[in-house]
Amino acid sequence: QVKLVESGGGSVQAGGSLRLSCVVPNFGHVAWFRQAPGKEREGVASRNTLGTTYYADSVKGRFTISLENKSTLYLYLQMNNLKPDDTAMYYCAGNYGYYSGSGPDSLSGLMYNYWGQGTQVTVSS
């Protein structure tokens, strides 16, 4: 059974940084999503099988998604210049198989079958 566990969330002031981590199996494509209270879940960043990344406009230039193999495969989301609007529960997600897409579809929750339980990020002004 695939179980994804996120870590690295916390509380920071606006302008600060956090790095979220998620241990993943050998997925073909991965992504980070977030959901703020009272809002729908939104895709934040994705990385396809070819290594191509895609970002939501709201985080472009501030967030970076990466995948590192340190005997265990780690999915990261480096978040810089955080804003209060970034406050949300963040989830890692992934799926097996080859996927070369890198557009808005790559941030659809329908693309991913496996999800973590979430880690809270709170940004204060």
Side-chain angles (χ1 to χ4, degrees), residues 2 16 19 29 43 62 68-69 71 76 81 83 91-92 96 102-103 110:
V2 177
R19 187 175 78 161
H29 51 288
R62 300 187 297 122
E68 293 187 22
N69 193 339
S71 72
Y76 295 113
N81 190 21
K83 304 175 180 180
Y91 302 88
C92 62
Y96 293 105
S102 61
L110 298 176

Side-chain angles (χ1 to χ4, degrees), residues 4-5 8 24 31 49 62 64 66-67 73 83 88-89 93 106-107 109 111 113-114 116 119:
L4 307 182
V5 180
V24 297
T49 308
R62 300 187 297 122
T64 303
S66 62
L67 201 58
L73 203 56
K83 304 175 180 180
M89 186 73 78
S106 70
L107 293 183
M111 294 295 298
N113 292 332
Y114 302 95
T119 185

Side-chain angles (χ1 to χ4, degrees), residues 5 7 13 16 20 22 33 35 45 47-48 55 58 60 73 79-83 97-99 106 112 120:
V5 180
S7 61
Q13 290 190 325
L20 306 183
C22 179
F33 289 77
Q35 187 166 21
R47 185 186 187 278
N48 67 15
Y55 298 91
S58 58
K60 202 172 294 183
L73 203 56
M79 305 185 295
N80 298 328
N81 190 21
L82 282 161
K83 304 175 180 180
Y98 181 87
Y99 178 69
S106 70
Y112 304 93
Q120 179 68 37

